[in-house]
Amino acid sequence: MGSYFDGSQAGPFAVGEGSGRIGDSAGRPGSGLMNLQSSSFTDVLAACAPGLLPGRGTDGLPGHPGTDPGQAIRDLPHATTIVAATCDHGVVLAGDRRATAGSMIAKRDVEKVFRSDEYSAIGYAGTGSVGIEFVRLFQVELEHYEKMEGRSLSLEGKANRLAWMIRGNLPAAMQGLIVVPLFVGYDEDTGRGRIFSYDVAGGPYEEQRFFSIGSGSVFARGSLKKLYVDDMPVRDAVLACVQALYDAADDDSATGGPDLTRRIFPVIATVTADGFRKLPEAESEEYAQQVVQERMAAPDGPPAPLHAAG
């Protein structure tokens, strides 16, 4: 970024050739940008530098001349399984670490779970590079709104803003650059955790209790059906999510399980009244080790009781 500020490289909002500053040839602020008083950073970016929006253009796709663009898109790294579960006064979000390109493992230690603001978090499945751009833009979107309006959006407002951004990526999604997020947060008005899912055309859809996305989502959701209990403590919800990711990895080749040899473990975050917290790697390792040790004795995981207690 230093080259944008020292003028040696044209910045995204530059007017004159070689200028790294916002303004006209005389150094005055650009009137178009100054007139944009929108609380949406995405609107500002669309007006000033639309090429920087996620999924715009496919010129940078890998491959040689004559390569099928569809195949090039399929060969891009894709992120997979994300799970979420509400808990006592909060919500847990967790993701595996594997990214695949076709039938190959492209990367083993990808992070797919991020802080979006103090009381919310986001995970994504789909094209890795576009997903990271979406996460970064959404983070700036929430910060920009708060600075322009002097207050933060409500949790539903954040979910709706993300849906609008996803809808703008629909043309790229139709070409194969698909990104589907899973958004969670702590609702300060109701004092509980909430989960929102999306499709490629937007949404959002509020999910109850638990949800999962990605190629291993069917197996993860089936696992959570056995393990989930309403208003479970945060620690139990985290353990249930790690169990669900293990089950997804057991049946879905695109989902990575805990890698004890390389010390690669799921990324886990909690959002409660105390705010967003990403679990340290040592704590994630503790949960992963517990699950792996239990699976040594019971490979299919803990059974669900057939009869209610009592």
Side-chain angles (χ1 to χ4, degrees), residues 18-163:
S19 171
R21 301 176 177 84
I22 302 172
D24 58 18
S25 58
R28 293 184 296 269
S31 59
L33 180 61
M34 296 299 290
N35 289 334
L36 286 172
Q37 298 298 321
S38 172
S39 60
S40 170
F41 182 77
T42 307
D43 281 346
V44 175
L45 202 59
C48 300
L52 297 181
L53 290 171
R56 295 298 190 271
T58 57
D59 296 338
L61 291 177
H64 301 285
T67 301
D68 176 17
Q71 182 61 47
I73 289 175
R74 287 190 292 273
D75 288 341
L76 289 172
H78 282 68
T80 50
T81 309
I82 306 291
V83 298
T86 59
C87 55
D88 183 27
H89 296 96
V91 63
V92 174
L93 183 68
D96 81 305
R97 305 292 296 276
R98 178 174 293 177
T100 57
S103 61
M104 305 292 290
I105 297 176
K107 199 167 176 60
R108 301 178 188 275
D109 59 352
V110 173
E111 293 205 17
K112 312 169 190 177
V113 172
F114 302 89
R115 175 188 185 274
S116 46
D117 72 355
E118 185 178 1
Y119 290 104
S120 64
I122 183 173
Y124 74 91
T127 308
S129 55
V130 181
I132 293 172
E133 289 181 345
F134 253 109
V135 169
R136 290 173 177 170
L137 181 58
F138 185 54
Q139 291 169 335
V140 177
E141 180 81 9
L142 297 184
E143 290 183 11
H144 181 77
Y145 180 91
E146 188 169 349
K147 289 178 180 179
M148 294 294 291
E149 300 295 332
R151 60 181 178 85
S152 61
L153 277 165
S154 66
L155 188 61
E156 285 189 356
K158 297 170 191 175
N160 290 331
R161 186 64 61 97
L162 180 57

Side-chain angles (χ1 to χ4, degrees), residues 188-278:
E188 297 178 84
D189 295 330
T190 61
R192 63 186 181 91
R194 299 171 69 182
I195 303 171
F196 297 90
S197 67
Y198 301 82
D199 55 29
V200 295
Y205 312 103
E206 183 166 5
E207 308 295 344
Q208 304 299 322
R209 307 177 75 212
F210 57 84
F211 199 72
S212 62
I213 60 172
S215 59
S217 61
V218 175
F219 310 111
R221 210 173 308 163
S223 178
L224 284 170
K225 281 183 179 180
K226 297 189 303 177
L227 302 174
Y228 184 84
V229 177
D230 290 325
D231 299 322
M232 61 200 313
V234 174
R235 185 173 179 83
D236 290 354
V238 171
L239 187 59
C241 286
V242 176
Q243 291 275 13
L245 288 174
Y246 191 103
D247 280 328
D250 199 33
D251 289 296
D252 173 42
S253 61
T255 303
D259 192 331
L260 304 184
T261 304
R262 298 183 177 88
R263 298 180 58 80
I264 300 173
F265 310 104
V267 177
I268 307 167
T270 64
V271 189
T272 64
D274 295 327
F276 172 90
R277 177 178 180 261
K278 178 182 175 182

